[in-house]
Amino acid sequence: MTTDLSLLLPLTVLWPMLLAGLSLLPGWGPRMLMLLPLGPLPALAAALVAPRDTLVELPGVLLDGGLELTATGALFLGGAATLWFCAGVYAAFYMRRDSRPTTFALFWNLVLAGNLGVFIAADIISFYVFFALVSLLAYPLVIHDRKPASMRAGTVYLVLALTGEMAILVGLMLASFGAEGAIGIEAVRAGLALPSAHPVALGLLIAGFGTKAGLMPLHVWLPVAHPAAPVPASAVLSGAIVKAGIFGLVAFLPLGTPEVVAGNVLMILGFAGLFVAALLALGQGGAKSVLAYSTVSQMGLVMGVLGFALAQGSAPATVLPAAALFALHHGLAKGALFLGVGLAPTCGQSWRWVLLAVLAVLGLSLAGAPLLAGALVKSALKDPAGAFGATLIGLSGLTTALAMARYLAVLPRSKPHRRPRARLSLPFLALAGAALWLPQELNAGITGRVPMAADLRLLFVDAWPLGLAVVMVVGAIAVGLRAPALPEGDALGPLQRWTAAATSAARAAGRAGSRSLRQSRSKPVTVIGENLDRIEDIFSEVASAAILLLAVAGGILAAGLL
């Protein structure tokens, strides 16, 4: 029986890949939208019944790699599979009139396979290949509608994804060399704690995984990619794909051995993002942009705790269960909040109030309101965060609540007489219910903490930041205070202005050079100046796809030669 159940692990990856392949058959592409919910079912079964810590060898595949499901990986896998299933049901009807159903179904399933594979990889080669799939092949989902804004967002996403991939690849190679050529994740993680470990390997891994997880200042792809992608794709981007970066940190950080410099840097950047990103969310004009910054904030929280644990040399058992439980709750809740954005335009009159009530409860849970799942998972993270970290986690309830209030304020509106369709409402409600119920159901077995009722008085005392948030929101409404308008990409603004200025200067220099050299019949500078626009157009059309394909091929080749 154990052996048979272990086969669920390879099926977790092979099944969505098969669905992706079926999308390419003539006439099958549009029909595959209705089969999107089937993709994560083997992963969900594996998270429930597959044996833990049992290696499934894959002879002849990726240098004889293997798959293994750990207790922590099961939480990430189960949460991701639940989100992908609900989002798949939602997408099957939300995207039914889309002009590119085949492309959406193809890359949805490929990214799904990579996302799930990350959580069950047993060696660094398999891990890198799956991580490259989930990172790079999400690009077509970001640019799915091919609008100019989406193409610009895709460029930002692709550049940072490639940067993160390079950092991870080099970091894994150096870490493997330090572990005497071992490729097993456990061996590589142990090697990072040895004195012989390469001094930059850990830093590269933190930078690479931090880019995917939205670690400030590497977060800028999130606020531009989320608004560009279709609603169900945004839900999995924030709820599941970002978690691949968090899982990378969980899998490779050498907890138990003090790494003061790397740990403190990660802690400072994480906790800084916790507050800065939430404040930036207050200036966003779109609901998906608000949620994107909220994701950066919440991922900053868990990365700050991981950084503190790394700096202190905390044992993995003291921090990883709480971090995994937090990731589970955030993924499900944030996915439901994104699906709510797509549901809002269909909810008129009283239906809108029902939707707002559900979304408000989810927002309060993320902020850590008493008796909700968010308070439980935040409380579990306070112990490994230390006294100062616990204080910051408590204070974050204020900024998170303000961000959620902003989200509700800018939620799209509907015509008065529209009614939501059950095909969209049911997966949204199922995901919201899972976010509010699952963490409480699993808490005792995962963290060993006492039921929440035993700490009820303390929970309400610690909830004063939420009360302050309510007072601030009511006061802002009463005086008519309006939030400032901030760009989605915050740090991208200055960079884009500098790039535009540099491009204009180069073109001006080219034109000046062409005029000065025309008399001498020298043409090189003239040709360069005249073709700048043409080169830029060609680059914008084909470079993204070419870089994507080359990166995937190069990454897989490099992983195979490692």
Side-chain angles (χ1 to χ4, degrees):
M1 178 63 71
T2 300
T3 303
D4 293 337
L5 292 178
S6 296
L7 295 178
L8 285 170
L9 297 186
L11 192 60
T12 291
V13 177
L14 292 176
W15 175 242
M17 285 187 171
L18 174 62
L19 295 178
L22 292 177
S23 302
L24 299 176
L25 295 178
W28 279 61
R31 301 175 184 175
M32 294 305 297
L33 281 179
M34 299 305 298
L35 301 183
L36 293 182
L38 300 181
L41 293 183
L44 189 57
L48 294 173
V49 301
R52 307 301 190 250
D53 302 314
T54 300
L55 179 64
V56 179
E57 297 181 350
L58 303 175
V61 179
L62 297 175
L63 298 184
D64 297 330
L67 304 175
E68 184 177 8
L69 185 63
T70 64
T72 301
L75 274 179
F76 278 88
L77 182 67
T82 302
L83 173 54
W84 278 95
F85 173 77
C86 293
V89 175
Y90 189 97
F93 299 98
Y94 186 85
M95 305 293 295
R96 68 189 185 281
R97 296 180 181 176
D98 186 77
S99 59
R100 299 181 181 88
T102 300
T103 301
F104 186 84
L106 170 65
F107 287 101
W108 176 278
N109 282 303
L110 288 176
V111 175
L112 169 62
N115 192 195
L116 300 177
V118 165
F119 304 135
I120 59 176
D123 59 272
I124 60 174
I125 298 174
S126 302
F127 181 92
Y128 179 80
V129 171
F130 290 135
F131 200 93
L133 283 176
V134 70
S135 290
L136 301 178
L137 297 188
Y139 169 76
L141 297 180
V142 174
I143 65 165
H144 181 73
D145 61 13
R146 304 300 195 272
K147 294 180 180 178
S150 299
M151 299 303 294
R152 288 193 295 271
T155 300
V156 174
Y157 174 83
L158 193 59
V159 169
L160 285 176
L162 286 171
T163 302
E165 288 299 317
M166 288 187 290
I168 292 171
L169 178 59
V170 176
L172 290 177
M173 293 175 68
L174 294 176
S176 178
F177 294 154
E180 299 181 351
I183 63 172
I185 289 180
E186 291 186 10
V188 171
R189 180 176 62 244
L192 286 169
L194 298 175
S196 60
H198 197 284
V200 302
L202 183 57
L204 286 171
L205 292 178
I206 290 175
F209 294 130
T211 300
K212 175 55 61 181
L215 178 68
M216 280 195 166
L218 306 172
H219 69 289
V220 291
W221 69 271
L222 270 161
V224 296
H226 281 19
V231 166
S234 294
V236 295
L237 271 171
S238 181
I241 295 176
V242 167
K243 302 305 182 299
I246 297 296
F247 186 78
L249 293 173
V250 166
F252 288 98
L253 289 182
L255 297 174
T257 302
E259 296 286 348
V260 178
V261 175
N264 283 329
V265 170
L266 180 59
M267 178 184 65
I268 292 170
L269 294 178
F271 282 136
L274 169 62
F275 293 99
V276 174
L279 294 176
L280 288 172
L282 302 181
Q284 301 303 306
K288 291 169 74 176
S289 299
V290 174
L291 292 179
Y293 275 108
S294 173
T295 294
V296 176
S297 173
Q298 296 297 300
M299 294 303 96
L301 187 156
V302 70
M303 284 188 283
V305 174
L306 289 172
F308 178 82
L310 180 63
Q312 297 297 315
S314 303
T318 64
V319 61
L320 295 188
L325 192 66
F326 180 89
L328 172 70
H329 172 257
H330 176 270
L332 298 176
K334 190 58 63 70
L337 288 169
F338 268 105
L339 296 187
V341 176
L343 194 60
T346 68
C347 295
Q349 294 182 337
S350 58
W351 292 103
R352 182 173 179 84
W353 290 108
V354 174
L355 175 64
L356 289 176
V358 176
L359 295 176
V361 172
L362 289 172
L364 287 171
S365 184
L366 283 177
L371 302 181
L372 295 178
L376 186 150
V377 297
K378 282 192 171 183
S379 177
L381 276 177
K382 287 182 178 180
D383 288 342
F388 181 67
T391 301
L392 294 179
I393 292 173
L395 290 175
S396 70
L398 169 63
T399 51
T400 301
L402 293 176
M404 290 298 98
R406 178 63 177 173
Y407 161 75
L408 295 176
V410 299
L411 202 65
R413 295 188 175 275
S414 168
K415 294 180 180 179
H417 301 293
R418 295 197 66 182
R419 299 180 60 182
R421 296 191 176 185
R423 295 171 178 177
L424 298 180
S425 302
L426 291 178
F428 161 74
L429 292 173
L431 198 56
L436 297 172
W437 170 73
L438 268 180
Q440 301 204 47
E441 179 71 18
L442 299 175
N443 172 62
I446 293 172
T447 66
R449 295 177 61 86
V450 296
M452 185 179 294
D455 299 323
L456 186 59
R457 184 185 63 82
L458 183 60
L459 285 172
F460 277 99
V461 170
D462 290 343
W464 67 265
L466 292 178
L468 179 58
V470 172
V471 172
M472 294 176 67
V473 170
V474 173
I477 295 174
V479 301
L481 183 65
R482 302 183 64 180
L486 299 176
E488 290 176 347
D490 61 276
L492 287 177
L495 179 61
Q496 290 173 338
R497 289 191 293 270
W498 179 87
T499 303
T503 302
S504 298
R507 289 173 177 169
R511 288 192 295 267
S514 66
R515 287 194 298 269
S516 63
L517 293 177
R518 190 174 298 138
Q519 296 177 351
S520 62
R521 301 180 182 272
S522 179
K523 296 184 178 181
V525 176
T526 303
V527 173
I528 292 174
E530 291 175 350
N531 287 281
L532 275 173
D533 289 332
R534 186 180 307 170
I535 293 172
E536 183 179 12
D537 292 339
I538 294 173
F539 180 85
S540 64
E541 291 176 2
V542 304
S544 295
I547 291 174
L548 177 63
L549 294 175
L550 289 173
V552 172
I556 294 175
L557 177 61
L561 296 175
L562 189 64

